[in-house]
Amino acid sequence: MSSRTRTRMAKTAAGVHTIHVPRQRGRRRSQPFVVVVPERPSLAREAFGFLGRVLWRFRTALTPTFLAALAWPLTAVLHALAWWSALVLAPLAVAPVLWLGFVHIRRPARVAASAWRAGLALLATTAFAWLALAAGFGPLAGPLELIWLLAWLAAQTAWLIVRRAH
């Protein structure tokens, strides 16, 4: 049996995996290969993996949460780079009210549907107004943190109710 294929009995600690990489032909003076294979993932890796799997599994149910979490750094960057972007975003706050008026004229509905439409328009108006104010003054200015929190809670709750109903 050739020395290249025969395993050499090397003493290793229990639970350690060793991999033997044979020497390359023509490279007698080259450095040996060292392969490190961890036995178990760390506790932090396990925790982040679990959190990632849970977030991925419930990704559609948590859509408002992801959007709210994305809005915070977006407005911080807009505030730092272009405070005038608030002037561009401010007209968006009027769009849901215009939509509500248009829908009420074109498609009259019962009281329950009208209440859902009004609530949706109020929530969208609040979100767009917060977006414009946070881009202009920063997401941590004044009561904007509380407005963000309340709008996020309302959006997440409404999202879960609507998803459960359908």
Side-chain angles (χ1 to χ4, degrees):
M1 182 182 259
S2 170
S3 65
R4 290 178 191 254
T5 58
R6 185 177 55 221
T7 58
R8 292 180 178 89
M9 298 300 289
K11 294 192 176 196
T12 58
V16 175
H17 298 287
T18 59
I19 299 173
H20 174 70
V21 179
R23 226 179 358 187
Q24 300 295 313
R25 291 183 182 173
R27 296 184 176 189
R28 297 199 183 272
R29 295 185 184 196
S30 65
Q31 295 293 324
F33 290 97
V34 176
V35 179
V36 178
V37 180
E39 179 67 24
R40 288 184 226 146
S42 67
L43 185 60
R45 167 74 173 86
E46 288 286 334
F48 284 124
F50 174 75
L51 181 65
R53 286 187 297 274
V54 167
L55 289 176
W56 184 254
R57 182 174 175 205
F58 297 108
R59 66 188 179 273
T60 54
L62 295 174
T63 299
T65 300
F66 294 140
L67 290 175
L70 179 68
W72 196 282
L74 175 73
T75 56
V77 169
L78 281 176
H79 174 67
L81 297 179
W83 63 267
W84 50 266
S85 63
L87 301 173
V88 175
L89 294 171
L92 285 177
V94 181
V97 176
L98 295 175
W99 170 82
L100 181 64
F102 180 75
V103 168
H104 272 313
I105 291 171
R106 297 282 291 182
R107 294 181 180 256
R110 295 187 177 144
V111 176
S114 295
W116 272 103
R117 289 175 183 174
L120 180 63
L122 177 67
L123 184 62
T125 300
T126 304
F128 286 135
W130 180 87
L131 190 67
L133 288 170
F137 299 109
L140 301 176
L144 290 179
E145 297 172 5
L146 181 62
I147 293 170
W148 177 84
L149 179 66
L150 294 175
W152 166 69
L153 284 173
Q156 185 66 51
T157 304
W159 182 263
L160 291 175
I161 290 170
V162 169
R163 282 182 44 104
R164 178 71 67 177
H166 291 274

